[in-house]
Amino acid sequence: MAAACRDDGENTRFPFLATVRYLVAIVVTALAAIVVVMVVIVVHRPVEMGFQSYGYVQTQDYWWSSWTGDNVTYVYEPAKEVQMLIVLEALNPSGRGQIQANITFIHVIDMPGGASSLVQFCGYKLETPASFHLQPHSFHRYRRWVSIKRQGSLQYLYDKHHHDGSLGFPVMVVVETSYKPAHSETIINKTYHCWPLTFLRGEADTPAAGEIACKTTEEIGYGVTWQSLPLLPSSPPPRAQPPF
Ligand SMILES: *[C@@H]1O[C@H](CO)[C@@H](O)[C@H](O)[C@H]1NC(C)=O
Ligand SMILES: *[C@@H]1O[C@H](CO)[C@@H](O)[C@H](O)[C@H]1NC(C)=O
Ligand SMILES: *[C@@H]1O[C@H](CO)[C@@H](O)[C@H](O)[C@H]1NC(C)=O
């Protein structure tokens, strides 16, 4: 009908159009504001390194050995050596440039009485620091077999965990690092605490227990301290010869 072609002005013909325009303008403005906020957050997000673990420190060795003294009696004693596998992943979540990093020290800490009694049974300084470059949004896997040979450590494992062999026991792995974010000349020292992990005797292909995020001292809120084991001679003293 001709009436339909009369030009009454679009506001009167389609009064809702004004509302739609208004709404679109609000949405566009809101989106623009969100983009600005996100850019500001990303630009100000510090380039920080993170660490995570897959949940275990693994060994394929028994930390005790047994032999038959006679036909019926088993005699147990600490193992001579235990190899354990340490696997950690360094992360660069910020997406704002690469990180140059070193792992300098690793501590493996038992928690016999929960978080209040910590005992380091293995700690090693990396003679040559594990150095790596972390690209944005990438990770670096640190994977190393470490041999426990110190008599004190082996004796400790035997005394405290001789019977936990099949189940494993909870440990904390502490990683000392130094790193330098992109666009910075400052070297940052940071210590990461990976907990709770399980010290487990088993096959190498144990499925991950999930991603365990390692916490920095700042995140924990206090400096974590632990006892060290007394230094024992690295091999048992020679047995006295029988006097005949
Ligand atoms: C061990 O068992 C064998 C036979 O099975 C026997 O001849 C031997 O005397 C036993 N030794 C001890 C120390 O009991
Ligand atoms: C990492 O270690 C190497 C070799 O010791 C050293 O030259 C470098 O400055 C260290 N980098 C950081 C970020 O600590
Ligand atoms: C970082 O640690 C190194 C030794 O690993 C030390 O020489 C340096 O002074 C430390 N830097 C800071 C800022 O604590």
Side-chain angles (χ1 to χ4, degrees), residues 104 178 187 189:
T104 52
S178 64
I187 290 184
N189 290 347

Side-chain angles (χ1 to χ4, degrees), residues 69-72:
D70 50 40
N71 286 355
V72 284

Side-chain angles (χ1 to χ4, degrees), residues 62-158:
Y62 289 97
W63 47 91
W64 64 92
S65 54
S66 65
W67 42 281
T68 320
D70 50 40
N71 286 355
V72 284
T73 318
Y74 277 91
V75 177
Y76 290 93
E77 62 183 15
K80 299 277 179 280
E81 178 176 359
V82 172
Q83 301 261 355
M84 62 179 173
L85 178 63
I86 309 271
V87 182
L88 296 162
E89 279 175 5
L91 312 168
N92 179 359
S94 83
R96 286 193 50 237
Q98 70 165 19
I99 295 173
Q100 187 198 322
N102 287 342
I103 295 177
T104 52
F105 218 113
I106 293 197
H107 310 266
V108 185
I109 292 166
D110 187 26
M111 317 180 79
S116 60
S117 72
L118 307 183
V119 180
Q120 169 182 294
F121 63 89
C122 178
Y124 63 99
K125 182 175 172 29
L126 283 78
E127 295 310 333
T128 314
S131 297
F132 50 91
H133 289 270
L134 266 178
Q135 298 307 323
H137 298 305
S138 76
F139 68 88
H140 171 84
R141 180 170 292 137
Y142 172 82
R143 186 178 187 282
R144 182 180 286 200
W145 283 97
V146 179
S147 181
I148 307 178
K149 286 186 185 153
R150 267 185 50 193
Q151 187 69 14
S153 305
L154 295 165
Q155 185 72 46
Y156 177 88
L157 282 176
Y158 176 80

